[in-house]
Amino acid sequence: MRSVICRLVFSIAILQPSAQVSTPDSPTYVAAVVEYSPDTGSPGDSVADIVSKNVAQYVPLIRRAAEQEVDIIVFPECGLVTYGSSTKFATPLPHPDDRVNPCTDTSSNVAEAIRTLSCAARNHSIYVVVNLPEVHPCPDATNWSSSGVVYYNSNVVFDRNGTVVARYRKFNLFGEVWFNITSEAELSVFDTDFGVTFGIFTCFDIIFEKPAVSLAKVLGVRDVVFPTAWYSELPFLTAVQAQASWSYGLDVNFLGAGYSLPGEGSAGSGIYAGKEGPLVTTMPGVPTTQLLVAKVLKKTPRNTTPVLENVWNAGDSIEATPSPNIFSDVHRDNSGIWMMRDYLEPYETLLLTETEFFSTHTLCHNELCCDFEVAMHTDNQGQNSLGKSYIYRLAVFDGIRSYTFKTGGVQVCAVMFCTNNSLSSCGYEMETDEQERFATVFDYIHISGNFRLNNSLQLPNTLLEDYKVLSADAFEFTREEIPGESEVKVNMRTKKQNLNLLTFAIFGRDFSKDGGPVSQPSVDDTNHATVAHLLSPIATLLCMNSYFYVKFLV
Ligand SMILES: *[C@@H]1O[C@H](CO)[C@@H](O)[C@H](O)[C@H]1NC(C)=O
Ligand SMILES: *[C@@H]1O[C@H](CO)[C@@H](O)[C@H](O)[C@H]1NC(C)=O
Ligand SMILES: *[C@@H]1O[C@H](CO)[C@@H](O)[C@H](O)[C@H]1NC(C)=O
Ligand SMILES: *[C@@H]1O[C@H](CO)[C@@H](O)[C@H](O)[C@H]1NC(C)=O
Ligand SMILES: *[C@@H]1O[C@H](CO)[C@@H](O)[C@H](O)[C@H]1NC(C)=O
Ligand SMILES: *[C@@H]1O[C@H](CO)[C@@H](O)[C@H](O)[C@H]1NC(C)=O
């Protein structure tokens, strides 16, 4: 099927060469991201050999994308050198201001891989984004013969001529102790001949304010390229979920390309249209190389009022309609993805009991109170009574969490999945042999809370059982600054009935707390799980603040 489509497109491209590239006047551009399972080489191969083998895989992918009239293609983090190669391979990269074209300028000081990829971009007249280790003289050294060098985890962008038009050095390293970072986060952007300016950041950068949020907030970028080698974490940070969430929350077109090694937790790529939702995503459970292509509607440039808080939220109306996907050869096999789990024990939570048909609750943790309205029922039609289903908890957290290599301030209001009545089972999936089960149907969920405004970000966070996310028409997400208060009221509600939901949450970051000590469970909180059982649905419906009852009963 796929090859038929490719051939069809190829012949159209030949017949209508003028339609081949997007221009500044086109309302759309065509993007591709590569979910990429690298060639890890044969025994005895050097990292340079492995790089050559992966370059040899990249070139036909670039050609295939160009045949589908793609304007820009993004490859994942680590894809050329593979995991664990540290800096055994590293190349000098020219400064974008120098407009070096490694394909035509054979005297330029770059690795052969860079030259070949530059030629591939040029031959196929397509923007190409790749990630690889960069070596550079120490910042205080003047030339290569002086001894010291530094290594960066860098992205490099070639334009349609093969010229290096951007270079970005990852700022938030996930461990990766062999790499250096720049003294300040680089706000790296590049313009294109189709009238779109892209911002660049890499993997773990998506968690932090700089450079990711600054690109949108300070520079006003509406399009982002994102090479990643992600480690998925339940219930809030699986790969596609994190990409979709950021894209929606900042209303930015987002091209995320993921390294595919599900057995070590890495999988997940997608093209997302901000508040218009995901256009195409994949999260395969077996190592997979897959070209995802979508036509992306350009967003109107943002009026940037630098330094002003929350500029992206001020009168930023959305005029766009979703653009149709083209050629999304997506399939999924979830069985093999190695998942991390968030440390949920410090959360204030409340079990949603099966008897509750409609309930309202207020739950607080530290300074954050979340209001929940939930209507749910269990659909056991055609199933025997031994069938199992997910169990859900309302959850609130206001504190500092660990991201393994850094810590960060977080404010969360969530409905999240569990496998039994204990909080310790939340964020773990059911065994596949438990698949014969009946479904929990959420007729309605409404979550709201007042989040801290300063130096913060609130994102809608959704996850379905197949590791996809809710489409944009399935929910509503609004932020409303409260005049005179240092808070923002955030509302998130479903617009449809939902089955197979794992997570439905407002996930807030509080960047001012980044770097602080991780929050621990409070001692008197350990029983809140069982206490929730004692609440009758009627009592819960009637009381304004069930949190009071919970505390009272304790
Ligand atoms: C680019 O095109 C030239 C001329 O056809 C060819 O020799 C070269 O192998 C191509 N290189 C790449 C990377 O596509
Ligand atoms: C390179 O730097 C070293 C040490 O700073 C210096 O001794 C040497 O003269 C420099 N070479 C050139 C060609 O500038
Ligand atoms: C590519 O090179 C041609 C000719 O040198 C130039 O006209 C064109 O603007 C360049 N394209 C880009 C995207 O820089
Ligand atoms: C670069 O990183 C290495 C490894 O962590 C470190 O030893 C070195 O001091 C760093 N260099 C600079 C200039 O920061
Ligand atoms: C609940 O699930 C957790 C995690 O899977 C498990 O450790 C615990 O034993 C289970 N508890 C009960 C009562 O089944
Ligand atoms: C907001 O955050 C910035 C940066 O952390 C800080 O300098 C400033 O004092 C904060 N403003 C308020 C009103 O809290």
Side-chain angles (χ1 to χ4, degrees), residues 278-330:
L279 300 177
V280 54
T281 66
T282 189
M283 194 145 158
V286 293
T288 304
T289 293
Q290 202 175 335
L291 184 69
L292 304 183
V293 179
K295 192 177 270 190
V296 181
L297 201 57
K298 291 178 187 171
K299 292 191 183 284
T300 48
R302 232 189 279 268
N303 282 337
T304 51
T305 324
V307 192
L308 229 163
E309 280 294 323
N310 301 293
V311 286
W312 70 85
N313 199 41
D316 192 15
S317 70
I318 304 310
E319 62 304 300
T321 50
S323 53
N325 299 347
I326 55 174
F327 322 128
S328 44
D329 53 342
V330 178

Short mmCIF file of all heavy atoms in Angstrom, two decimals, residues 278-330:
data_model
loop_
_atom_site.label_atom_id
_atom_site.label_comp_id
_atom_site.label_asym_id
_atom_site.label_seq_id
_atom_site.Cartn_x
_atom_site.Cartn_y
_atom_site.Cartn_z
N PRO A 278 -2.94 16.56 17.79
CA PRO A 278 -1.95 15.78 17.04
C PRO A 278 -2.41 15.52 15.61
O PRO A 278 -3.58 15.25 15.37
CB PRO A 278 -1.86 14.47 17.82
CG PRO A 278 -3.05 14.41 18.69
CD PRO A 278 -3.58 15.79 18.87
N LEU A 279 -1.48 15.60 14.65
CA LEU A 279 -1.79 15.28 13.25
C LEU A 279 -1.42 13.84 12.94
O LEU A 279 -2.13 13.15 12.23
CB LEU A 279 -1.02 16.23 12.31
CG LEU A 279 -1.32 17.72 12.47
CD1 LEU A 279 -0.45 18.54 11.54
CD2 LEU A 279 -2.80 18.00 12.23
N VAL A 280 -0.30 13.40 13.47
CA VAL A 280 0.12 12.01 13.28
C VAL A 280 1.08 11.66 14.42
O VAL A 280 1.93 12.48 14.78
CB VAL A 280 0.76 11.81 11.89
CG1 VAL A 280 1.89 12.78 11.65
CG2 VAL A 280 1.26 10.39 11.69
N THR A 281 0.91 10.48 15.00
CA THR A 281 1.81 10.07 16.08
C THR A 281 2.09 8.58 15.94
O THR A 281 1.34 7.86 15.30
CB THR A 281 1.18 10.29 17.48
OG1 THR A 281 0.06 9.42 17.64
CG2 THR A 281 0.74 11.72 17.68
N THR A 282 3.16 8.15 16.57
CA THR A 282 3.44 6.71 16.64
C THR A 282 4.19 6.42 17.93
O THR A 282 4.94 7.26 18.43
CB THR A 282 4.26 6.24 15.42
OG1 THR A 282 4.34 4.81 15.44
CG2 THR A 282 5.68 6.79 15.43
N MET A 283 3.94 5.24 18.47
CA MET A 283 4.69 4.83 19.66
C MET A 283 4.80 3.30 19.63
O MET A 283 4.18 2.59 20.40
CB MET A 283 3.98 5.31 20.92
CG MET A 283 4.87 5.21 22.13
SD MET A 283 4.60 6.52 23.30
CE MET A 283 5.26 5.70 24.75
N PRO A 284 5.63 2.78 18.72
CA PRO A 284 5.68 1.34 18.51
C PRO A 284 6.42 0.63 19.65
O PRO A 284 7.37 1.16 20.21
CB PRO A 284 6.45 1.19 17.20
CG PRO A 284 7.18 2.48 17.01
CD PRO A 284 6.50 3.54 17.81
N GLY A 285 5.95 -0.58 19.94
CA GLY A 285 6.54 -1.38 21.01
C GLY A 285 7.71 -2.24 20.56
O GLY A 285 8.32 -2.93 21.38
N VAL A 286 8.01 -2.22 19.28
CA VAL A 286 9.20 -2.91 18.78
C VAL A 286 10.04 -1.87 18.03
O VAL A 286 9.49 -0.91 17.50
CB VAL A 286 8.85 -4.08 17.84
CG1 VAL A 286 8.17 -5.20 18.61
CG2 VAL A 286 7.97 -3.62 16.69
N PRO A 287 11.37 -2.04 17.99
CA PRO A 287 12.21 -1.06 17.30
C PRO A 287 11.71 -0.87 15.86
O PRO A 287 11.53 -1.84 15.14
CB PRO A 287 13.60 -1.69 17.32
CG PRO A 287 13.58 -2.60 18.49
CD PRO A 287 12.17 -3.13 18.57
N THR A 288 11.47 0.36 15.49
CA THR A 288 10.79 0.65 14.23
C THR A 288 11.39 1.88 13.58
O THR A 288 11.64 2.88 14.26
CB THR A 288 9.30 0.94 14.49
OG1 THR A 288 8.72 -0.16 15.18
CG2 THR A 288 8.54 1.20 13.20
N THR A 289 11.62 1.81 12.29
CA THR A 289 11.93 3.02 11.54
C THR A 289 10.72 3.38 10.71
O THR A 289 10.21 2.54 9.96
CB THR A 289 13.16 2.82 10.63
OG1 THR A 289 14.30 2.63 11.47
CG2 THR A 289 13.39 4.05 9.75
N GLN A 290 10.23 4.58 10.90
CA GLN A 290 8.95 4.97 10.32
C GLN A 290 9.00 6.45 9.97
O GLN A 290 9.39 7.27 10.80
CB GLN A 290 7.89 4.72 11.38
CG GLN A 290 6.51 4.54 10.89
CD GLN A 290 5.59 4.18 12.07
OE1 GLN A 290 6.03 3.64 13.09
NE2 GLN A 290 4.34 4.50 11.94
N LEU A 291 8.62 6.76 8.76
CA LEU A 291 8.57 8.16 8.31
C LEU A 291 7.14 8.66 8.50
O LEU A 291 6.21 8.12 7.90
CB LEU A 291 8.97 8.22 6.84
CG LEU A 291 9.08 9.59 6.19
CD1 LEU A 291 10.27 10.36 6.74
CD2 LEU A 291 9.23 9.43 4.67
N LEU A 292 6.96 9.65 9.35
CA LEU A 292 5.64 10.24 9.55
C LEU A 292 5.59 11.57 8.81
O LEU A 292 6.49 12.40 8.98
CB LEU A 292 5.35 10.50 11.03
CG LEU A 292 5.47 9.33 12.01
CD1 LEU A 292 5.06 9.80 13.40
CD2 LEU A 292 4.60 8.18 11.58
N VAL A 293 4.56 11.76 8.02
CA VAL A 293 4.45 12.97 7.21
C VAL A 293 3.11 13.63 7.46
O VAL A 293 2.09 12.95 7.56
CB VAL A 293 4.58 12.62 5.70
CG1 VAL A 293 4.43 13.86 4.84
CG2 VAL A 293 5.91 11.94 5.43
N ALA A 294 3.09 14.94 7.59
CA ALA A 294 1.82 15.66 7.73
C ALA A 294 1.92 17.04 7.12
O ALA A 294 2.99 17.65 7.10
CB ALA A 294 1.42 15.76 9.20
N LYS A 295 0.78 17.48 6.64
CA LYS A 295 0.67 18.85 6.15
C LYS A 295 0.31 19.72 7.34
O LYS A 295 -0.66 19.44 8.04
CB LYS A 295 -0.40 18.90 5.06
CG LYS A 295 -0.42 20.19 4.28
CD LYS A 295 -1.47 20.12 3.18
CE LYS A 295 -0.89 19.56 1.89
NZ LYS A 295 -1.84 19.72 0.76
N VAL A 296 1.10 20.74 7.60
CA VAL A 296 0.94 21.54 8.81
C VAL A 296 0.45 22.93 8.44
O VAL A 296 1.04 23.59 7.58
CB VAL A 296 2.28 21.66 9.56
CG1 VAL A 296 2.12 22.46 10.85
CG2 VAL A 296 2.85 20.28 9.86
N LEU A 297 -0.62 23.35 9.07
CA LEU A 297 -1.15 24.70 8.84
C LEU A 297 -0.25 25.70 9.56
O LEU A 297 0.02 25.56 10.75
CB LEU A 297 -2.57 24.76 9.40
CG LEU A 297 -3.49 25.85 8.88
CD1 LEU A 297 -3.64 25.77 7.36
CD2 LEU A 297 -4.85 25.71 9.57
N LYS A 298 0.20 26.72 8.83
CA LYS A 298 1.05 27.74 9.47
C LYS A 298 0.23 28.50 10.50
O LYS A 298 -0.95 28.77 10.29
CB LYS A 298 1.58 28.71 8.42
CG LYS A 298 2.58 28.10 7.47
CD LYS A 298 3.00 29.13 6.44
CE LYS A 298 3.88 28.51 5.37
NZ LYS A 298 4.11 29.45 4.25
N LYS A 299 0.87 28.88 11.57
CA LYS A 299 0.21 29.70 12.58
C LYS A 299 0.64 31.15 12.37
O LYS A 299 1.75 31.40 11.91
CB LYS A 299 0.60 29.21 13.97
CG LYS A 299 0.02 27.84 14.28
CD LYS A 299 0.17 27.45 15.72
CE LYS A 299 -0.34 26.04 15.97
NZ LYS A 299 -1.81 25.94 16.00
N THR A 300 -0.24 32.06 12.72
CA THR A 300 0.12 33.46 12.53
C THR A 300 1.19 33.83 13.54
O THR A 300 1.15 33.40 14.69
CB THR A 300 -1.10 34.38 12.73
OG1 THR A 300 -1.75 33.99 13.93
CG2 THR A 300 -2.06 34.26 11.56
N PRO A 301 2.17 34.63 13.10
CA PRO A 301 3.25 35.01 14.02
C PRO A 301 2.66 35.66 15.27
O PRO A 301 1.66 36.35 15.20
CB PRO A 301 4.08 36.01 13.22
CG PRO A 301 3.74 35.76 11.80
CD PRO A 301 2.32 35.25 11.78
N ARG A 302 3.31 35.39 16.37
CA ARG A 302 2.82 35.90 17.65
C ARG A 302 3.32 37.31 17.86
O ARG A 302 4.46 37.62 17.52
CB ARG A 302 3.39 35.02 18.76
CG ARG A 302 2.38 34.49 19.70
CD ARG A 302 3.07 33.84 20.84
NE ARG A 302 3.52 32.48 20.52
CZ ARG A 302 2.77 31.41 20.77
NH1 ARG A 302 1.58 31.53 21.26
NH2 ARG A 302 3.23 30.21 20.52
N ASN A 303 2.47 38.15 18.40
CA ASN A 303 2.95 39.45 18.86
C ASN A 303 3.77 39.22 20.11
O ASN A 303 3.21 38.91 21.15
CB ASN A 303 1.77 40.35 19.23
CG ASN A 303 1.12 40.92 18.00
OD1 ASN A 303 1.74 41.02 16.94
ND2 ASN A 303 -0.13 41.30 18.14
N THR A 304 5.06 39.35 19.99
CA THR A 304 5.84 39.12 21.20
C THR A 304 6.01 40.41 21.97
O THR A 304 6.38 41.43 21.43
CB THR A 304 7.21 38.53 20.89
OG1 THR A 304 7.82 39.34 19.92
CG2 THR A 304 7.10 37.11 20.43
N THR A 305 5.68 40.32 23.22
CA THR A 305 5.95 41.43 24.12
C THR A 305 6.92 40.85 25.13
O THR A 305 6.53 40.39 26.17
CB THR A 305 4.66 41.88 24.84
OG1 THR A 305 3.58 41.76 23.91
CG2 THR A 305 4.77 43.29 25.34
N PRO A 306 8.19 40.83 24.77
CA PRO A 306 9.16 40.12 25.59
C PRO A 306 9.07 40.51 27.07
O PRO A 306 8.67 41.63 27.38
CB PRO A 306 10.50 40.53 25.00
CG PRO A 306 10.20 40.93 23.60
CD PRO A 306 8.82 41.49 23.63
N VAL A 307 9.39 39.57 27.90
CA VAL A 307 9.48 39.74 29.35
C VAL A 307 8.09 39.69 30.01
O VAL A 307 7.94 39.19 31.11
CB VAL A 307 10.22 41.04 29.77
CG1 VAL A 307 10.53 41.02 31.26
CG2 VAL A 307 11.50 41.22 28.97
N LEU A 308 7.04 40.15 29.32
CA LEU A 308 5.70 40.08 29.89
C LEU A 308 5.33 38.63 30.20
O LEU A 308 5.54 37.75 29.38
CB LEU A 308 4.71 40.64 28.88
CG LEU A 308 3.71 41.67 29.36
CD1 LEU A 308 3.10 42.39 28.18
CD2 LEU A 308 2.65 41.04 30.22
N GLU A 309 4.73 38.40 31.35
CA GLU A 309 4.31 37.04 31.69
C GLU A 309 3.18 36.58 30.78
O GLU A 309 2.29 37.33 30.45
CB GLU A 309 3.82 37.01 33.15
CG GLU A 309 4.93 36.94 34.17
CD GLU A 309 5.69 35.63 34.09
OE1 GLU A 309 5.09 34.57 33.84
OE2 GLU A 309 6.90 35.68 34.29
N ASN A 310 3.23 35.31 30.43
CA ASN A 310 2.10 34.67 29.75
C ASN A 310 1.65 35.38 28.48
O ASN A 310 0.47 35.46 28.19
CB ASN A 310 0.91 34.54 30.71
CG ASN A 310 1.29 33.73 31.92
OD1 ASN A 310 1.55 32.54 31.81
ND2 ASN A 310 1.36 34.37 33.06
N VAL A 311 2.58 35.89 27.73
CA VAL A 311 2.20 36.61 26.52
C VAL A 311 1.42 35.73 25.55
O VAL A 311 0.56 36.21 24.84
CB VAL A 311 3.42 37.20 25.79
CG1 VAL A 311 3.95 38.39 26.52
CG2 VAL A 311 4.48 36.16 25.56
N TRP A 312 1.72 34.43 25.57
CA TRP A 312 1.06 33.57 24.59
C TRP A 312 -0.42 33.41 24.86
O TRP A 312 -1.17 32.96 24.03
CB TRP A 312 1.73 32.19 24.56
CG TRP A 312 1.45 31.39 25.79
CD1 TRP A 312 0.36 30.60 26.03
CD2 TRP A 312 2.25 31.30 26.95
NE1 TRP A 312 0.45 30.03 27.26
CE2 TRP A 312 1.60 30.44 27.84
CE3 TRP A 312 3.47 31.86 27.32
CZ2 TRP A 312 2.12 30.13 29.09
CZ3 TRP A 312 3.97 31.55 28.57
CH2 TRP A 312 3.30 30.69 29.44
N ASN A 313 -0.83 33.81 26.04
CA ASN A 313 -2.22 33.61 26.38
C ASN A 313 -3.06 34.86 26.15
O ASN A 313 -4.27 34.84 26.26
CB ASN A 313 -2.31 33.21 27.86
CG ASN A 313 -3.63 32.56 28.17
OD1 ASN A 313 -4.11 31.76 27.38
ND2 ASN A 313 -4.21 32.91 29.29
N ALA A 314 -2.41 35.97 25.86
CA ALA A 314 -3.12 37.24 25.80
C ALA A 314 -3.72 37.46 24.41
O ALA A 314 -3.03 37.77 23.46
CB ALA A 314 -2.18 38.38 26.15
N GLY A 315 -5.02 37.31 24.30
CA GLY A 315 -5.74 37.59 23.06
C GLY A 315 -5.22 36.82 21.87
O GLY A 315 -5.25 37.31 20.75
N ASP A 316 -4.79 35.62 22.12
CA ASP A 316 -4.18 34.84 21.05
C ASP A 316 -5.22 33.90 20.48
O ASP A 316 -5.35 32.76 20.88
CB ASP A 316 -3.00 34.07 21.66
CG ASP A 316 -2.13 33.46 20.61
OD1 ASP A 316 -2.25 33.83 19.43
OD2 ASP A 316 -1.35 32.59 20.97
N SER A 317 -6.01 34.39 19.53
CA SER A 317 -7.14 33.59 19.06
C SER A 317 -6.68 32.57 18.04
O SER A 317 -5.71 32.77 17.32
CB SER A 317 -8.20 34.49 18.45
OG SER A 317 -7.71 35.01 17.23
N ILE A 318 -7.40 31.48 17.99
CA ILE A 318 -7.03 30.38 17.10
C ILE A 318 -8.01 30.35 15.94
O ILE A 318 -9.20 30.12 16.10
CB ILE A 318 -7.10 29.04 17.86
CG1 ILE A 318 -6.22 29.11 19.10
CG2 ILE A 318 -6.69 27.90 16.96
CD1 ILE A 318 -4.82 29.61 18.85
N GLU A 319 -7.49 30.59 14.77
CA GLU A 319 -8.35 30.68 13.59
C GLU A 319 -8.29 29.39 12.76
O GLU A 319 -9.13 29.12 11.95
CB GLU A 319 -7.94 31.87 12.74
CG GLU A 319 -6.52 31.85 12.17
CD GLU A 319 -5.43 31.68 13.24
OE1 GLU A 319 -5.32 32.53 14.15
OE2 GLU A 319 -4.71 30.66 13.17
N ALA A 320 -7.30 28.59 13.04
CA ALA A 320 -7.00 27.48 12.14
C ALA A 320 -7.97 26.31 12.29
O ALA A 320 -8.56 26.11 13.34
CB ALA A 320 -5.59 26.99 12.40
N THR A 321 -8.13 25.57 11.23
CA THR A 321 -8.85 24.30 11.30
C THR A 321 -7.84 23.18 11.11
O THR A 321 -6.80 23.40 10.49
CB THR A 321 -9.91 24.20 10.20
OG1 THR A 321 -9.28 24.52 8.96
CG2 THR A 321 -11.06 25.17 10.44
N PRO A 322 -8.13 21.98 11.63
CA PRO A 322 -7.14 20.91 11.50
C PRO A 322 -6.87 20.59 10.04
O PRO A 322 -7.78 20.59 9.23
CB PRO A 322 -7.82 19.72 12.19
CG PRO A 322 -8.92 20.30 13.00
CD PRO A 322 -9.33 21.57 12.33
N SER A 323 -5.63 20.37 9.73
CA SER A 323 -5.30 20.00 8.36
C SER A 323 -5.31 18.48 8.26
O SER A 323 -5.01 17.78 9.22
CB SER A 323 -3.93 20.55 7.99
OG SER A 323 -2.99 20.15 8.95
N PRO A 324 -5.66 17.95 7.10
CA PRO A 324 -5.73 16.50 6.97
C PRO A 324 -4.34 15.87 7.02
O PRO A 324 -3.38 16.46 6.55
CB PRO A 324 -6.36 16.30 5.59
CG PRO A 324 -6.04 17.55 4.84
CD PRO A 324 -5.97 18.65 5.85
N ASN A 325 -4.28 14.71 7.59
CA ASN A 325 -3.01 13.98 7.57
C ASN A 325 -2.78 13.45 6.17
O ASN A 325 -3.73 13.10 5.49
CB ASN A 325 -3.07 12.75 8.47
CG ASN A 325 -3.33 13.13 9.88
OD1 ASN A 325 -3.23 14.29 10.24
ND2 ASN A 325 -3.68 12.15 10.69
N ILE A 326 -1.55 13.39 5.77
CA ILE A 326 -1.28 12.65 4.55
C ILE A 326 -0.33 11.52 4.88
O ILE A 326 0.63 11.70 5.61
CB ILE A 326 -0.73 13.56 3.43
CG1 ILE A 326 0.52 14.31 3.88
CG2 ILE A 326 -1.78 14.56 3.00
CD1 ILE A 326 1.16 15.11 2.77
N PHE A 327 -0.66 10.35 4.39
CA PHE A 327 0.22 9.17 4.51
C PHE A 327 0.72 8.93 5.92
O PHE A 327 1.90 9.04 6.19
CB PHE A 327 1.43 9.31 3.58
CG PHE A 327 1.10 9.93 2.27
CD1 PHE A 327 1.82 11.01 1.79
CD2 PHE A 327 0.04 9.45 1.52
CE1 PHE A 327 1.50 11.58 0.59
CE2 PHE A 327 -0.28 10.03 0.32
CZ PHE A 327 0.45 11.10 -0.16
N SER A 328 -0.16 8.61 6.81
CA SER A 328 0.31 8.30 8.16
C SER A 328 0.31 6.79 8.33
O SER A 328 -0.69 6.21 8.72
CB SER A 328 -0.59 8.98 9.18
OG SER A 328 -1.93 8.80 8.81
N ASP A 329 1.43 6.19 8.01
CA ASP A 329 1.50 4.72 8.12
C ASP A 329 1.82 4.33 9.56
O ASP A 329 2.91 3.96 9.90
CB ASP A 329 2.54 4.16 7.15
CG ASP A 329 3.89 4.83 7.30
OD1 ASP A 329 3.95 5.93 7.88
OD2 ASP A 329 4.87 4.26 6.85
N VAL A 330 0.81 4.48 10.39
CA VAL A 330 1.03 4.32 11.82
C VAL A 330 0.52 2.97 12.29
O VAL A 330 -0.58 2.56 11.97
CB VAL A 330 0.28 5.44 12.57
CG1 VAL A 330 0.45 5.27 14.06
CG2 VAL A 330 0.80 6.78 12.13
#
